[in-house]
Each structure stands twice: as C-alpha cells, then as structure tokens.
Amino acid sequence: MALLNALCAVPSMESLESHQALSKQFAMILDFVLAFDDLKMTNPSIQNDFSFYRRMRTREKSFANMEEHTVTNEVANRMSMFYAYPTPMLKMLSSTVSTFVQKNDALPLEHTTDILSTMANLCRCMIEDSNIVARFQQKDTVMFVLRVMVGAIILYDHVHPVGAFHRKSCIDIKGSIKLLKEQPAVSVETLLNALRYSTVHANDEETSGVVKKLLTEQ
C-alpha cells in the first residue's frame, strides 16, 4: 500500500502537514469504504439477488454463448465470498493495512498507529467545534468526517497491540462514540455497528465498562 507507506515514513503531524494531498486521498478511501459498507448493510437483499443470478446463470444454456459479456464463474465465486462479509470493503481494507504493518517491520509501528489516531482525533475535534462545522459548504461533509473518524479508529484497533478501546489508547474512544450518538440515529447507526462488530478489541476485558455500555446502548 504505497499511499500508507508514504504517510507513515515520518511522524504523524509532520506527515499530515507535508503530505496533505495524500492525507486527503487516504481520507477519501476511508469515506468510500464506510459508505459502500453502509449501502451493503442497508440492502441485505444484494447477496440473495446475486445468488439468484448465479443460479439462473448455470441453468440458462444461452449464457454459454454470452460468456464474453457476463461475469465468469471464477469472478462470480469471488464476488459471492466478498459479499458474504457484513462489511466487505472494511474487511478488505483492514486486512490490507494489517498485512502492510506485518510486511514492513522496518517501519516503526508507531508511525502507522499515530497517523490513524491523529486522523481520528482531528475528525472528532472538527465535528465537536460548531464554528468549524458552520464553515462546511456541503451538507455531506459532516458524514464524510464521521466516516473517516470511524474508519481510522477501526484500522487502529486492528493494527495496535492493545487496540483503540484500551485505556491507554491514543484515541478518545469514549468521546468519539458520544459524538456519534449525538448525530441523527438513522445517519450513524451503521457506523456504530461497524465499531461494535468490525473491531478486534471492543469486548476485551481491558475495555472500560463505560465504553462497552456506550456501544451496546441503542
């Protein structure tokens, strides 16, 4: 992941300041991943529809003459496995980032976790500041920032040894969850579900009872 390699080459604040275009691109990736999974989770029929397509494809002989214009069996199988995950894009991204950390052992882990925690905390602070929010020119910007915050938290939780929910985490996880709960429920429910079910350490013994209660409360 060349983009993350460039961002993590130096300490977080230096990187975010000197690589603003790359930082924005990474934020856009996080936004896309969470937005895609939001659509997938709110449209559960997608997997059933695709299964129906695969069944019809094997039955119809006419498909044999349309091979070059249709999805191949190999691709269809991969798509089926992809959509089997509740949050497929997030699953792929978290696996990619985890692999990046494992294969780049010469790169200090702190550089990667600091980038993610800094982005998560900056996003939270932006939405908490009403003066900053008032300057947003597009109404979707708040959701963009919230998706980036949640994406950064989840990736941090996957690569940091004790995760994002530990008391010593560099991320204000309690403040982040409270911020999400202050938003319209219909807009952020899938983001809260992503924190509940797509993280590694949310249910660890070291996670405070307050944080667990915040996550479980509807």
Side-chain angles (χ1 to χ4, degrees):
M1 196 172 183
L3 188 153
L4 197 56
N5 188 54
L7 286 175
C8 298
V10 294
S12 60
M13 290 307 299
E14 180 183 347
S15 177
L16 292 175
E17 291 176 0
S18 60
H19 299 298
Q20 293 185 23
L22 291 179
S23 301
K24 180 180 179 181
Q25 190 65 41
F26 186 49
M28 291 174 67
I29 291 173
L30 293 176
D31 173 62
F32 170 79
V33 166
L34 271 295
F36 181 97
D37 286 347
D38 187 359
L39 290 173
K40 195 269 181 180
M41 293 181 71
T42 53
N43 293 274
S45 62
I46 290 177
Q47 193 170 353
N48 291 333
D49 291 344
F50 189 68
S51 296
F52 175 77
Y53 162 79
R54 293 180 67 198
R55 290 195 300 270
M56 293 301 296
R57 187 177 186 279
T58 57
R59 293 175 185 174
E60 292 291 337
K61 293 182 180 180
S62 58
F63 275 111
N65 300 322
M66 297 175 59
E67 191 68 30
E68 61 180 344
H69 302 295
T70 61
V71 177
T72 64
N73 283 329
E74 181 182 358
V75 173
N77 290 335
R78 290 182 179 179
M79 290 176 66
S80 181
M81 293 178 63
F82 175 77
Y83 283 114
Y85 293 109
T87 52
M89 278 291 181
L90 193 54
K91 169 68 175 177
M92 296 300 106
L93 181 61
S94 59
S95 296
T96 299
V97 175
S98 296
T99 300
F100 164 81
V101 170
Q102 294 170 5
K103 289 186 176 181
N104 291 271
D105 51 1
L107 187 70
L109 176 62
E110 293 77 12
H111 285 190
T112 303
T113 55
D114 285 353
I115 281 286
L116 296 171
S117 62
T118 300
M119 290 185 69
N121 290 328
L122 284 175
C123 288
R124 176 182 52 78
C125 291
M126 288 174 64
I127 303 302
E128 287 178 341
D129 192 329
S130 58
N131 293 323
I132 294 178
V133 174
R135 294 200 296 269
F136 289 164
Q137 297 181 355
Q138 299 180 6
K139 62 180 181 179
D140 294 335
T141 303
V142 170
M143 284 306 302
F144 172 87
V145 177
L146 290 175
R147 282 192 288 264
V148 174
M149 179 187 76
V150 171
I153 291 172
I154 292 173
L155 292 182
Y156 180 99
D157 192 62
H158 275 263
V159 300
H160 195 280
V162 298
F165 298 88
H166 197 275
R167 291 176 176 82
K168 295 183 179 180
S169 167
C170 294
I171 293 175
D172 182 359
I173 191 66
K174 183 167 69 173
S176 300
I177 297 172
K178 285 184 176 180
L179 179 64
L180 287 173
K181 294 208 163 189
E182 291 172 359
Q183 314 305 314
V186 67
S187 300
V188 298
E189 186 59 28
T190 54
L191 295 181
L192 286 167
N193 283 337
L195 289 177
R196 292 177 183 124
Y197 308 121
S198 297
T199 49
V200 178
H201 300 280
N203 294 314
D204 285 1
E205 292 183 2
E206 292 78 9
T207 301
S208 74
V210 174
V211 171
K212 289 182 178 179
K213 185 177 180 180
L214 279 172
L215 273 179
T216 55
E217 286 180 343
Q218 298 296 325

